[in-house]
Amino acid sequence: MNDTSGTPRSPHARRRLRRTLVALAGALALGAGALTLTGPTASASVPPPPSGWTQVFADDFDGPEGSGVDTGDWRYATGTGYPGGPSNWGTGEIETMTSNPENVSLDGNGNLRITPRRDGAGNWTSGRIETARDDFQPPAGGTLRVEARIQVPNVTGDAAKGYWPAFWMLGAPYRGDYWNWPAVGELDIMENTQGMNTVFATMHCGTSPGGPCNETSGIGGQTTCQGTTCQAGFHTYRMEWDRSSDVEEIRFSLDDHTFHTVRENQVDATTWSNATDHGFFVILNVAMGGGFPDAFGGGPDAGTQPGHSMLVDYVQVLTAS
């Protein structure tokens, strides 16, 4: 992301209710052959951990429409940068991040909704949330998996100029310093821009500009969404950071297909150690403008259409030893 955050029911009760309703709807579909549960707004429960994996964090964003995220799990990053850090979040993006439900809230259907808005004077606002925890890393000799099911803003063409949705991670040492990027590491699990049916995954590390990780571009790969476009439907974006072999590697996948891998031996030992010998925190946001959109035509401009949301069905973090 950087060039360089009735009767009230408990979350568990709401989750059980929603799963019961989904199961009932599925039974009706099997009996009548007429009910369809798929579609761009379909919400699914957090999948259970596969055999050998342990869930260490999860949020399926259940809650009433317009309500905020659980601030025990998430913190809102607001304004135009961290206090004392680079302006415009260090990326040149032009929006102001807020905690306003108009910009970031639950949609009432089991999704987080992050929505860029433009006011009458042409000023953009949007939303950015980060996990309170910043200790996500693989166990010794094990693997960390971070994944989310996301539909990026459903807007394309000129109306999408400047849109920059992302699901990514930053090294914990960045908190409180804000000037040690990219040495502390960044893992971009999903970036998208300009309404293109293209997903980008990148590791940032080393020094900028240039350096062993080719900053500010980083060590990146890309692929396209299959079946439905990234904009038209939900897809699962995943990062697996594997310490189980002699050479560590970080793998990025889309819908269970690995499309980009970064290996420890691609950079020098000091660069890798500085970027990985600590925990990370998770970030979800939709930026407007900045270096990444600039590389693909720029924006936003007068033709950009505000109000298109990134929807996040769930986020979960798993470890395997």
Side-chain angles (χ1 to χ4, degrees), residues 18 22 35-44 107 109-111 149-152 154 227-236 311-313:
R18 183 155 63 88
V22 169
L35 183 61
T36 300
L37 294 177
T38 59
T41 59
S43 180
D107 72 352
N109 294 313
N111 303 307
R149 185 172 180 262
I150 296 173
Q151 180 184 2
V152 300
N154 192 9
T228 59
T229 65
C230 307
Q231 288 73 28
F234 281 93
H235 296 272
T236 301
L311 299 177
V312 185
D313 179 22

Side-chain angles (χ1 to χ4, degrees), residues 76-293:
Y76 295 93
T78 59
T80 58
Y82 296 108
S87 60
N88 303 99
W89 301 104
T91 69
E93 58 202 75
I94 65 168
E95 83 295 326
T96 299
M97 295 299 188
T98 85
S99 57
N100 189 322
E102 289 289 308
N103 292 125
V104 54
S105 62
L106 308 185
D107 72 352
N109 294 313
N111 303 307
L112 171 71
R113 177 175 56 193
I114 301 180
T115 312
R117 307 278 184 188
R118 184 176 57 203
D119 66 18
N123 300 308
W124 285 91
T125 57
S126 190
R128 172 176 173 140
I129 63 169
E130 307 175 354
T131 54
R133 288 181 59 176
D134 59 10
D135 59 346
F136 299 127
Q137 61 180 316
T143 305
L144 176 76
R145 173 185 289 185
V146 182
E147 69 177 25
R149 185 172 180 262
I150 296 173
Q151 180 184 2
V152 300
N154 192 9
V155 58
T156 59
D158 289 343
K161 286 191 69 176
Y163 270 78
W164 185 5
F167 165 46
W168 53 299
M169 305 176 73
L170 271 173
Y174 192 70
R175 282 189 166 159
D177 186 326
Y178 309 130
W179 293 98
N180 51 16
W181 187 92
V184 295
E186 175 180 327
L187 303 172
D188 298 329
I189 304 170
M190 183 282 294
E191 291 184 285
N192 175 262
T193 191
Q194 310 294 57
M196 301 185 302
N197 186 37
T198 306
V199 175
F200 300 85
T202 307
M203 180 176 182
H204 293 280
C205 48
T207 57
S208 181
C213 305
N214 187 37
E215 299 300 344
T216 58
S217 296
I219 305 172
Q222 64 189 73
T223 190
T224 57
C225 293
Q226 302 297 313
T228 59
T229 65
C230 307
Q231 288 73 28
F234 281 93
H235 296 272
T236 301
Y237 303 94
R238 179 183 299 152
M239 182 278 299
E240 287 189 354
W241 175 1
D242 189 351
R243 284 178 167 162
S244 65
S245 61
D246 291 339
V247 178
E248 282 186 43
E249 62 180 34
I250 299 174
R251 301 181 290 267
F252 300 90
S253 69
L254 168 63
D255 295 330
D256 296 319
H257 171 69
T258 299
F259 66 91
H260 179 49
T261 301
V262 182
R263 295 178 175 86
E264 178 182 8
N265 57 11
Q266 289 179 241
V267 299
D268 62 273
T270 298
T271 295
W272 186 266
S273 175
N274 289 341
T276 62
D277 283 356
H278 48 70
F280 278 71
F281 57 97
V282 176
I283 306 171
L284 294 160
N285 73 292
V286 181
M288 296 302 298
F292 196 52

